[in-house]
Structure formats: C-alpha cells, structure tokens
Amino acid sequence: MSALLAGEFGFANARRDWVCGLDEKAAALLSWGLAGRTPHAQAAALRALLVGWRGFYSDVRVYARARTTEGQALMRRLGFEECARPDGVNPLYGSTGFPDKLGAMLLRHSILGDWEAPR
C-alpha cells in the first residue's frame, strides 16, 4: 500500500511481495490502462473493470490513476475518492464500494448489454 501511495508500484517495477498469488486473498486492486479510442472501446474497458471487480473482487478496494479530465470525472461518478497524488499531478483514486446503480446504468446505456447473472 505504501508503494502504491508513493507512486512506486507499477508494471515495470512491481516486486513479488507486492503482488498476491492466485491462491491468496487480494487486499487491493490497481487498475491501469482503461482507455479507449472509440466509444465502444471505452465502454468495453469500463465493462471489463466493472465485471471483474463485481465478479471476483467485490470486497476489495480498487485503486486507479486518472491522467485526464475525463478519467477524473469517471472516477468521481464511480464513487472513487482521491487518495494521493504520487507524482504530484495525476491523482490516485480509491473505490468506496462497488457502484451497483451506476454500473447497471452504464451498461444499460451501452451496446454491451446487461450484467451477467450472479454466481
């Protein structure tokens, strides 16, 4: 967590002790690269985040970096709160819970369909 808030945790420098294995319980998730060049690609990226989060990690706090004004607005709409600015510029956001109502609304208004049935 301290590496994340300090801006030291990333794909290029992730240490093994910062990453949980498949048989371990995750304490937090960090999301990178949820961008899309077209509305369809943007919706697909958001769906991937929401479906994975809801389906596998609904009890785990999700962290995300927002490097654009649009990304920062999306984080606020998803109920994320700003936690830190590790690089002094781009905020790191943390979830405050899974955004069920907003997630359902976003998927209803996209070409990607509804939530999968619960397991």
Side-chain angles (χ1 to χ4, degrees):
M1 186 57 70
S2 61
L4 179 64
L5 295 175
E8 299 168 355
F9 185 87
F11 283 127
N13 66 340
R15 295 189 340 222
R16 174 62 188 105
D17 60 319
W18 291 347
V19 181
C20 71
L22 296 175
D23 58 339
E24 299 173 293
K25 179 144 176 61
L29 296 175
L30 178 61
S31 174
W32 284 279
L34 284 174
R37 293 180 189 247
T38 66
H40 182 94
Q42 291 166 357
L46 182 57
R47 178 184 170 90
L49 169 68
L50 294 175
V51 169
W53 181 9
R54 180 175 186 257
F56 301 102
Y57 302 105
S58 61
D59 60 336
V60 175
R61 192 163 193 203
V62 175
Y63 292 89
R65 295 295 300 271
R67 299 189 185 278
T68 65
T69 302
E70 294 85 359
Q72 292 174 15
L74 175 61
M75 293 296 97
R76 288 189 296 274
R77 284 194 308 271
L78 289 172
F80 280 60
E81 62 186 9
E82 188 175 323
C83 301
R85 289 184 181 254
D87 61 7
V89 179
N90 298 301
L92 172 70
Y93 288 89
S95 65
T96 57
F98 184 81
D100 283 305
K101 289 180 182 177
L102 181 58
M105 185 272 303
L106 287 170
L107 290 177
R108 215 175 22 255
H109 291 89
S110 78
I111 59 175
L112 297 172
D114 296 320
W115 289 117
E116 287 76 15
R119 296 180 203 195

